[in-house]
Amino acid sequence: MMDLHALRQFTVVARLEHLSRAADELRVAQPSLSRTIARLEGELGAPLFDRAGRLRLNDAGRAFLRHVERALGELDAGRRAVTDLADRGFGTVRIASETFLTLTGPLGAFKRAHPAVEVALHQMAADEMGRALRAQEVDLCVASQPVAVEGLLADALLDEPVWLVAPPEHRLAGRDAVAVAELADEPFVTTRTGHWQRRLLDRLFAAEGLAPPRIVCEGDEPSATAILVAAGLGVGLIPDLARRSATRAPVAWVRVEGPACRRTLTLLRYAEARPGGAARLMRAALTGWDWAAGPV
């Protein structure tokens, strides 16, 4: 009979495709982890990884991983269901987002309405959301860009314009609007590759046939962009929602011409999951929130 501990270790190795990094994350010795994977392959009667050069998950490994994630997710869902009953239906909801600034308003209202529900927040890039939902590591994800993963259900929360922000003394600060072509030589403060702001910026430049944007600062927290722009490091792209933030930085807001400079905020969940009461309450709160009103 397969060991649950071994299955959980397998999912980490499969995600990282690197034994030493997986061992570090799991806090186990690499030889012990290697033996666990070899023992699992022996029980299955087939290798799960290609080992020529870099460790790579093979077709059998990918097929097995899908079932393991589903099985482990169901076990975790069962534990949460028992916890919900023991806690009289309160329990915990786990929610992931690319940035927490987006959620401050609805989360504050949720906690006031449901103080006994524990909210666990995870900052996560959109590329990781599908895997985390399928594995039922999180209950809900708020994404600022499309996540094309089979088996996910989506609720549209908000479609909004994205503005160019510039230091108050910048040459564009007094403008009502700017064309993307005018930004070709501007230094940009943005997020790392994979985050929605960076993808939007790259997409806008590519559509105009421009060279890739000049990035002078990149990071993992989108809400830091306006602060760094205000400090004079460059210009950036900020969604309309941030204009209503209580912590809004002193920057100039300039409309970007054309229909493509927008953000669509989406609430994602796994179709096969059996959400507990806390997750159902959170979904209702997020879909019922007046996203167009402010401030956040």
Side-chain angles (χ1 to χ4, degrees):
M1 184 175 179
M2 291 184 183
D3 180 2
L4 286 177
H5 187 60
L7 294 177
R8 293 189 187 279
Q9 290 189 340
F10 162 70
T11 64
V12 176
V13 178
R15 171 165 52 86
L16 297 176
E17 293 187 319
H18 198 286
L19 272 172
S20 62
R21 287 205 295 267
D24 288 342
E25 181 172 318
L26 292 164
R27 297 184 180 182
V28 299
Q30 182 176 329
S32 174
L33 183 58
S34 296
R35 288 193 296 271
T36 296
I37 298 301
R39 188 164 55 250
L40 191 59
E41 291 175 321
E43 289 184 48
L44 291 168
L48 300 172
F49 297 90
D50 291 330
R51 292 173 169 81
R54 180 183 169 183
L55 191 72
R56 295 280 188 182
L57 200 64
N58 61 24
D59 289 342
R62 282 187 288 273
F64 185 57
L65 177 63
R66 287 193 294 271
H67 291 281
V68 170
E69 287 181 334
R70 188 177 301 119
L72 293 177
E74 285 297 319
L75 285 171
D76 289 339
R79 291 190 184 98
R80 292 195 305 276
V82 172
T83 300
D84 277 355
L85 291 171
D87 292 341
R88 300 179 186 175
F90 298 131
T92 300
V93 57
R94 303 159 304 163
I95 183 166
S97 180
E98 292 166 278
T99 173
F100 296 143
L101 182 63
T102 297
L103 298 175
T104 53
L107 286 183
F110 181 87
K111 285 299 291 183
R112 288 190 293 273
H114 308 285
V117 173
E118 181 177 316
V119 179
L121 296 176
H122 303 265
Q123 189 167 24
M124 188 177 295
D127 289 345
E128 279 290 297
M129 289 181 176
R131 183 204 60 79
L133 284 167
R134 285 200 317 271
Q136 299 189 56
E137 295 172 358
V138 295
D139 303 299
L140 300 166
C141 291
V142 177
S144 298
Q145 56 186 295
V147 177
V149 174
E150 184 179 353
L152 299 190
L153 300 176
D155 297 302
L157 300 177
L158 176 69
D159 181 71
E160 62 174 348
V162 174
W163 298 73
L164 179 82
V165 292
E169 68 280 2
H170 193 274
R171 66 180 181 87
L172 298 172
R175 295 271 295 274
D176 291 328
V178 62
V180 174
E182 296 180 77
L183 305 175
D185 297 323
E186 290 290 337
F188 273 87
V189 175
T190 187
T191 45
R192 296 186 191 277
T193 300
H195 286 276
W196 75 268
Q197 285 164 306
R198 181 63 169 273
R199 286 187 172 179
L200 175 60
L201 180 61
D202 290 342
R203 191 164 63 245
L204 291 172
F205 270 55
E208 294 292 326
L210 301 173
R214 181 158 64 97
I215 309 299
V216 295
C217 180
E218 62 178 9
D220 294 318
E221 179 45 69
S223 62
T225 301
I227 299 170
L228 294 170
V229 168
L233 273 70
V235 300
L237 295 178
I238 303 289
D240 190 65
L241 192 66
R243 297 185 75 187
R244 295 177 264 119
S245 170
T247 57
R248 188 176 67 180
V251 294
W253 297 76
V254 186
R255 180 174 59 85
V256 179
E257 294 178 352
C261 196
R262 302 188 68 83
R263 172 176 79 149
T264 300
L265 203 62
T266 306
L267 180 65
L268 304 171
R269 64 192 193 281
Y270 184 41
E272 296 185 22
R274 297 179 178 86
R280 292 194 298 272
L281 287 172
M282 178 62 78
R283 182 187 169 217
L286 292 176
T287 55
W289 180 254
D290 187 358
W291 292 93
V296 297

